[in-house]
Amino acid sequence: MMRTIKVFNKTLIKLIESVFTKYLEISINKLITYIPNTLIVNDTAVDMSLIISPKIHDSFLPLQSVGKISPKGKQLPFKNTADIPMYIENGESIQIFISDFTLKSFLYTMEELGYLKLVVDKSPLPL
């Protein structure tokens, strides 16, 4: 005849479950931000890795990504310094913010790879 011995009471089990669930959730969300999410297209790398882990709010879910476009295997000579706005309350249901860093990295990469030629001369700009 086999008997079951209860080592933990219900209160202790609930405490262990709540602590385990809380720290597991924090760890998983933090790990998500470490997952590299870089798309390689020919000789161009598009880094879409998350800056912060996603957190569901009452009315929105922010997904903030790096948004860096660079020549494959090369670093950009500049860094992103702009803060990304979280959410505009009176805006539309889908909001996309593209920083000047993304645009600047795109133009730099296209020029660096020879897809775009930028010429700056001394002539005045037309007004």
Side-chain angles (χ1 to χ4, degrees):
M1 180 160 114
M2 192 169 181
R3 296 185 70 175
T4 304
I5 301 173
K6 292 186 179 181
V7 178
F8 300 112
N9 64 23
K10 288 182 182 182
T11 307
L12 189 55
I13 290 174
K14 286 185 180 190
L15 177 66
I16 292 170
E17 285 177 353
S18 69
V19 169
F20 182 74
T21 303
K22 177 183 174 188
Y23 288 106
L24 182 64
E25 179 183 327
I26 290 169
S27 298
I28 288 174
N29 282 339
K30 191 172 184 180
L31 285 174
I32 288 172
T33 61
Y34 293 122
I35 297 172
N37 194 6
T38 302
L39 174 67
I40 305 294
V41 180
N42 296 328
D43 48 3
T44 306
V46 181
D47 186 355
M48 299 178 291
S49 303
L50 295 178
I51 295 171
I52 60 170
S53 51
K55 181 179 178 186
I56 298 173
H57 296 269
D58 290 340
S59 60
F60 66 99
L61 170 68
L63 294 172
Q64 296 183 356
S65 68
V66 174
K68 177 175 77 173
I69 302 166
S70 61
K72 185 173 105 177
K74 294 185 179 179
Q75 293 295 321
L76 295 175
F78 49 88
K79 303 273 184 213
N80 186 11
T81 56
D83 290 332
I84 299 173
M86 188 61 91
Y87 178 73
I88 301 169
E89 289 292 330
N90 58 356
E92 298 296 325
S93 56
I94 295 178
Q95 298 179 14
I96 299 174
F97 176 80
I98 300 174
S99 71
D100 63 334
F101 172 74
T102 300
L103 297 174
K104 193 161 71 169
S105 69
F106 172 75
L107 291 173
Y108 173 83
T109 299
M110 293 300 106
E111 197 274 332
E112 184 75 13
L113 295 174
Y115 297 123
L116 176 68
K117 184 172 181 173
L118 300 173
V119 178
V120 179
D121 60 17
K122 294 181 181 181
S123 62
L125 295 173
L127 298 176

